[in-house]
Amino acid sequence: MSAPRVSVLIVAAGRGTRLGEGLPKQYRPLMGRPVLAHAVSQVRRALPDASITCVIGTGDEEVYRGALGPQAPKSISGGETRQDSVRNGLEAMSEEMPDFVLIHDAARPFGIDRIANRLLEALQAGGFDGAAPGLEVPDSLRRAIDGAFVPVERAGIWRVQTPQAFRYQPILAAHRQTRGAAMTDDLSVAEAAGLKITLVPGDERAIKITTAQDLVRAQAILIADCADVRVGHGYDVHAFGSGDSVMLCGVRLPHSAALAGHSDADVGLHALTDAILGAIGEADIGAHFPPSDPRWRGAASDAFLRHAASLVAERNGIVAHVDVTLVCEAPKIAPHRPAMVARIADILGLGQDRVSVKATTTERLGFTGRREGIAAYATATVRLPA
Ligand code: MG
């Protein structure tokens, strides 16, 4: 039998704001990449031949492209409810006509690698139209009724995760048939339409990111996955030329001179870019962005740093910590340090507790002491999957 055609539908249309203000949770940064980007790359690793469609909120096209970059899977607009969004996504797959479809929540970035094959095996074995990952509940359960907490029999209680897998035609028909009925997952939709469903073992790592505490747990899972710890080092110097401001660590500081260079001459971000490249054995900034290339004339150096970070992400790694030391007599760095930390944290999608910017003088010794230019040292701790 030839391999089944598998499509994956990632539901990323939610507006969940329990994490606080700002972006919906699927677009929140999690160690350098949005939650949704982690989910997409997990799906790609688990099912390299599967076609992926993301259902996104209406009007979210720009934030979606920004989050996933040029490798973004195709996307379609979601509906009013999760169910409407899934149905839209399934309808949009009609030309692909997959044998099986996995329906997954963007807010569960982990565990797909372990779950996907169990689901497909359950469907291929025959007898079921749908399968979902489930875990038995180890805790005692109580139900709140009128202020009392009544015990609930725990035996046989499972909690259900995603992705959930289905034969394509039957689940599409089930969604059309149950349109408008409120159900919490696709397994319930399948069941309501009379499809045969089963559970396979889920994975403790397949947590759903809903609260700020979940983000902390997700971070711990990622860090534990990346046990190959690398430290890279970078160094850069730019000379002063005429001008009235300098760009340092992504922040413009007024000064009696400017830094000369092909790009914006941000010596701090250049050293940091080299540190990240060094940690993954990817040569140096000049190899990736040759000074002879007119594209980089006057370029904002955050593009270089983003590129280095994207090479780490491509390896499914994380930048865990960065530390930059600026060496100059002037301008004074200290008043601008918080802005620099915030800027680097923003570029790298990291918490500010993982970014350090320091400054020192050389006691008027050497070229920095003579105020001929600014030097920067940086280290980056990068973690890769072992
Ligand atoms: Mg440079």
PDB file of all heavy atoms in Angstrom, residues 235-238 260-263 265-271 274 285 301 304, ligand 1:
ATOM      1  N   TYR A 235      33.983  39.896  18.378  1.00  0.00           N
ATOM      2  CA  TYR A 235      34.732  41.129  18.658  1.00  0.00           C
ATOM      3  C   TYR A 235      34.617  42.029  17.443  1.00  0.00           C
ATOM      4  O   TYR A 235      34.660  41.544  16.307  1.00  0.00           O
ATOM      5  CB  TYR A 235      36.199  40.783  18.925  1.00  0.00           C
ATOM      6  CG  TYR A 235      37.105  41.982  19.098  1.00  0.00           C
ATOM      7  CD1 TYR A 235      36.956  42.834  20.191  1.00  0.00           C
ATOM      8  CD2 TYR A 235      38.110  42.269  18.174  1.00  0.00           C
ATOM      9  CE1 TYR A 235      37.780  43.940  20.355  1.00  0.00           C
ATOM     10  CE2 TYR A 235      38.942  43.375  18.327  1.00  0.00           C
ATOM     11  CZ  TYR A 235      38.777  44.206  19.427  1.00  0.00           C
ATOM     12  OH  TYR A 235      39.586  45.296  19.587  1.00  0.00           O
ATOM     13  N   ASP A 236      34.451  43.325  17.663  1.00  0.00           N
ATOM     14  CA  ASP A 236      34.363  44.249  16.531  1.00  0.00           C
ATOM     15  C   ASP A 236      34.850  45.636  16.961  1.00  0.00           C
ATOM     16  O   ASP A 236      34.786  45.985  18.146  1.00  0.00           O
ATOM     17  CB  ASP A 236      32.926  44.337  16.012  1.00  0.00           C
ATOM     18  CG  ASP A 236      32.854  45.002  14.648  1.00  0.00           C
ATOM     19  OD1 ASP A 236      33.804  44.851  13.848  1.00  0.00           O
ATOM     20  OD2 ASP A 236      31.842  45.681  14.371  1.00  0.00           O
ATOM     21  N   VAL A 237      35.331  46.390  15.977  1.00  0.00           N
ATOM     22  CA  VAL A 237      35.801  47.762  16.199  1.00  0.00           C
ATOM     23  C   VAL A 237      35.303  48.632  15.056  1.00  0.00           C
ATOM     24  O   VAL A 237      35.292  48.192  13.905  1.00  0.00           O
ATOM     25  CB  VAL A 237      37.357  47.821  16.204  1.00  0.00           C
ATOM     26  CG1 VAL A 237      37.834  49.277  16.242  1.00  0.00           C
ATOM     27  CG2 VAL A 237      37.931  47.040  17.376  1.00  0.00           C
ATOM     28  N   HIS A 238      34.846  49.819  15.366  1.00  0.00           N
ATOM     29  CA  HIS A 238      34.612  50.823  14.328  1.00  0.00           C
ATOM     30  C   HIS A 238      35.255  52.142  14.769  1.00  0.00           C
ATOM     31  O   HIS A 238      35.250  52.476  15.957  1.00  0.00           O
ATOM     32  CB  HIS A 238      33.118  51.030  14.065  1.00  0.00           C
ATOM     33  CG  HIS A 238      32.542  49.943  13.198  1.00  0.00           C
ATOM     34  ND1 HIS A 238      32.386  50.082  11.842  1.00  0.00           N
ATOM     35  CD2 HIS A 238      32.128  48.694  13.502  1.00  0.00           C
ATOM     36  CE1 HIS A 238      31.875  48.956  11.340  1.00  0.00           C
ATOM     37  NE2 HIS A 238      31.710  48.093  12.334  1.00  0.00           N
ATOM     38  N   ALA A 260      32.220  55.150  11.704  1.00  0.00           N
ATOM     39  CA  ALA A 260      32.338  54.932  10.256  1.00  0.00           C
ATOM     40  C   ALA A 260      32.176  53.445   9.967  1.00  0.00           C
ATOM     41  O   ALA A 260      32.643  52.601  10.732  1.00  0.00           O
ATOM     42  CB  ALA A 260      33.694  55.427   9.778  1.00  0.00           C
ATOM     43  N   GLY A 261      31.541  53.147   8.864  1.00  0.00           N
ATOM     44  CA  GLY A 261      31.386  51.741   8.490  1.00  0.00           C
ATOM     45  C   GLY A 261      30.440  51.623   7.323  1.00  0.00           C
ATOM     46  O   GLY A 261      29.747  52.578   6.958  1.00  0.00           O
ATOM     47  N   HIS A 262      30.402  50.434   6.758  1.00  0.00           N
ATOM     48  CA  HIS A 262      29.585  50.208   5.576  1.00  0.00           C
ATOM     49  C   HIS A 262      28.097  50.203   5.943  1.00  0.00           C
ATOM     50  O   HIS A 262      27.278  50.834   5.288  1.00  0.00           O
ATOM     51  CB  HIS A 262      29.988  48.873   4.945  1.00  0.00           C
ATOM     52  CG  HIS A 262      29.411  48.700   3.592  1.00  0.00           C
ATOM     53  ND1 HIS A 262      29.779  49.487   2.525  1.00  0.00           N
ATOM     54  CD2 HIS A 262      28.493  47.831   3.125  1.00  0.00           C
ATOM     55  CE1 HIS A 262      29.109  49.108   1.452  1.00  0.00           C
ATOM     56  NE2 HIS A 262      28.320  48.104   1.797  1.00  0.00           N
ATOM     57  N   SER A 263      27.753  49.505   7.020  1.00  0.00           N
ATOM     58  CA  SER A 263      26.361  49.468   7.488  1.00  0.00           C
ATOM     59  C   SER A 263      26.167  50.639   8.446  1.00  0.00           C
ATOM     60  O   SER A 263      26.857  51.650   8.338  1.00  0.00           O
ATOM     61  CB  SER A 263      26.091  48.141   8.199  1.00  0.00           C
ATOM     62  OG  SER A 263      26.883  48.075   9.377  1.00  0.00           O
ATOM     63  N   ALA A 265      27.192  50.637  11.287  1.00  0.00           N
ATOM     64  CA  ALA A 265      28.405  50.586  12.127  1.00  0.00           C
ATOM     65  C   ALA A 265      28.090  50.312  13.598  1.00  0.00           C
ATOM     66  O   ALA A 265      28.811  50.761  14.480  1.00  0.00           O
ATOM     67  CB  ALA A 265      29.225  51.879  11.978  1.00  0.00           C
ATOM     68  N   ASP A 266      27.017  49.557  13.836  1.00  0.00           N
ATOM     69  CA  ASP A 266      26.652  49.225  15.218  1.00  0.00           C
ATOM     70  C   ASP A 266      27.588  48.127  15.722  1.00  0.00           C
ATOM     71  O   ASP A 266      27.345  46.930  15.559  1.00  0.00           O
ATOM     72  CB  ASP A 266      25.190  48.768  15.277  1.00  0.00           C
ATOM     73  CG  ASP A 266      24.680  48.605  16.697  1.00  0.00           C
ATOM     74  OD1 ASP A 266      25.496  48.277  17.583  1.00  0.00           O
ATOM     75  OD2 ASP A 266      23.475  48.805  16.914  1.00  0.00           O
ATOM     76  N   VAL A 267      28.644  48.589  16.370  1.00  0.00           N
ATOM     77  CA  VAL A 267      29.722  47.701  16.779  1.00  0.00           C
ATOM     78  C   VAL A 267      29.234  46.640  17.783  1.00  0.00           C
ATOM     79  O   VAL A 267      29.675  45.486  17.769  1.00  0.00           O
ATOM     80  CB  VAL A 267      30.883  48.578  17.324  1.00  0.00           C
ATOM     81  CG1 VAL A 267      30.493  49.276  18.607  1.00  0.00           C
ATOM     82  CG2 VAL A 267      32.169  47.845  17.470  1.00  0.00           C
ATOM     83  N   GLY A 268      28.253  47.021  18.609  1.00  0.00           N
ATOM     84  CA  GLY A 268      27.713  46.083  19.598  1.00  0.00           C
ATOM     85  C   GLY A 268      26.960  44.945  18.930  1.00  0.00           C
ATOM     86  O   GLY A 268      27.185  43.768  19.246  1.00  0.00           O
ATOM     87  N   LEU A 269      26.076  45.279  18.005  1.00  0.00           N
ATOM     88  CA  LEU A 269      25.308  44.222  17.331  1.00  0.00           C
ATOM     89  C   LEU A 269      26.193  43.388  16.412  1.00  0.00           C
ATOM     90  O   LEU A 269      25.945  42.198  16.219  1.00  0.00           O
ATOM     91  CB  LEU A 269      24.127  44.810  16.550  1.00  0.00           C
ATOM     92  CG  LEU A 269      22.995  45.433  17.367  1.00  0.00           C
ATOM     93  CD1 LEU A 269      21.768  45.680  16.492  1.00  0.00           C
ATOM     94  CD2 LEU A 269      22.615  44.594  18.579  1.00  0.00           C
ATOM     95  N   HIS A 270      27.252  44.000  15.866  1.00  0.00           N
ATOM     96  CA  HIS A 270      28.166  43.212  15.016  1.00  0.00           C
ATOM     97  C   HIS A 270      28.901  42.165  15.852  1.00  0.00           C
ATOM     98  O   HIS A 270      29.010  41.005  15.452  1.00  0.00           O
ATOM     99  CB  HIS A 270      29.182  44.127  14.324  1.00  0.00           C
ATOM    100  CG  HIS A 270      28.560  45.044  13.315  1.00  0.00           C
ATOM    101  ND1 HIS A 270      29.282  45.920  12.543  1.00  0.00           N
ATOM    102  CD2 HIS A 270      27.261  45.211  12.949  1.00  0.00           C
ATOM    103  CE1 HIS A 270      28.460  46.603  11.748  1.00  0.00           C
ATOM    104  NE2 HIS A 270      27.237  46.185  11.986  1.00  0.00           N
ATOM    105  N   ALA A 271      29.414  42.587  17.005  1.00  0.00           N
ATOM    106  CA  ALA A 271      30.116  41.629  17.869  1.00  0.00           C
ATOM    107  C   ALA A 271      29.163  40.516  18.310  1.00  0.00           C
ATOM    108  O   ALA A 271      29.523  39.340  18.333  1.00  0.00           O
ATOM    109  CB  ALA A 271      30.697  42.350  19.086  1.00  0.00           C
ATOM    110  N   ASP A 274      28.469  38.042  15.505  1.00  0.00           N
ATOM    111  CA  ASP A 274      29.602  37.123  15.367  1.00  0.00           C
ATOM    112  C   ASP A 274      29.626  36.086  16.492  1.00  0.00           C
ATOM    113  O   ASP A 274      30.016  34.937  16.278  1.00  0.00           O
ATOM    114  CB  ASP A 274      30.919  37.897  15.356  1.00  0.00           C
ATOM    115  CG  ASP A 274      31.396  38.173  13.922  1.00  0.00           C
ATOM    116  OD1 ASP A 274      30.763  37.658  12.978  1.00  0.00           O
ATOM    117  OD2 ASP A 274      32.399  38.890  13.762  1.00  0.00           O
ATOM    118  N   ILE A 285      30.324  37.521  10.330  1.00  0.00           N
ATOM    119  CA  ILE A 285      29.346  38.441   9.744  1.00  0.00           C
ATOM    120  C   ILE A 285      29.735  38.842   8.311  1.00  0.00           C
ATOM    121  O   ILE A 285      28.883  38.972   7.433  1.00  0.00           O
ATOM    122  CB  ILE A 285      29.177  39.672  10.673  1.00  0.00           C
ATOM    123  CG1 ILE A 285      27.969  40.527  10.325  1.00  0.00           C
ATOM    124  CG2 ILE A 285      30.429  40.522  10.705  1.00  0.00           C
ATOM    125  CD1 ILE A 285      27.646  41.580  11.391  1.00  0.00           C
ATOM    126  N   SER A 301      21.728  47.213  11.573  1.00  0.00           N
ATOM    127  CA  SER A 301      22.412  45.968  11.905  1.00  0.00           C
ATOM    128  C   SER A 301      21.522  44.929  12.590  1.00  0.00           C
ATOM    129  O   SER A 301      21.934  43.789  12.759  1.00  0.00           O
ATOM    130  CB  SER A 301      23.624  46.271  12.784  1.00  0.00           C
ATOM    131  OG  SER A 301      24.549  47.045  12.045  1.00  0.00           O
ATOM    132  N   PHE A 304      21.322  41.788  10.632  1.00  0.00           N
ATOM    133  CA  PHE A 304      22.420  40.812  10.757  1.00  0.00           C
ATOM    134  C   PHE A 304      22.176  39.896  11.964  1.00  0.00           C
ATOM    135  O   PHE A 304      22.367  38.691  11.896  1.00  0.00           O
ATOM    136  CB  PHE A 304      23.770  41.522  10.929  1.00  0.00           C
ATOM    137  CG  PHE A 304      24.063  42.560   9.867  1.00  0.00           C
ATOM    138  CD1 PHE A 304      24.859  43.665  10.165  1.00  0.00           C
ATOM    139  CD2 PHE A 304      23.559  42.436   8.580  1.00  0.00           C
ATOM    140  CE1 PHE A 304      25.145  44.624   9.199  1.00  0.00           C
ATOM    141  CE2 PHE A 304      23.839  43.393   7.599  1.00  0.00           C
ATOM    142  CZ  PHE A 304      24.624  44.491   7.926  1.00  0.00           C
TER     143      PHE A 304
HETATM  144 MG    MG B   1      31.529  45.860  12.260  1.00  0.00          MG
END
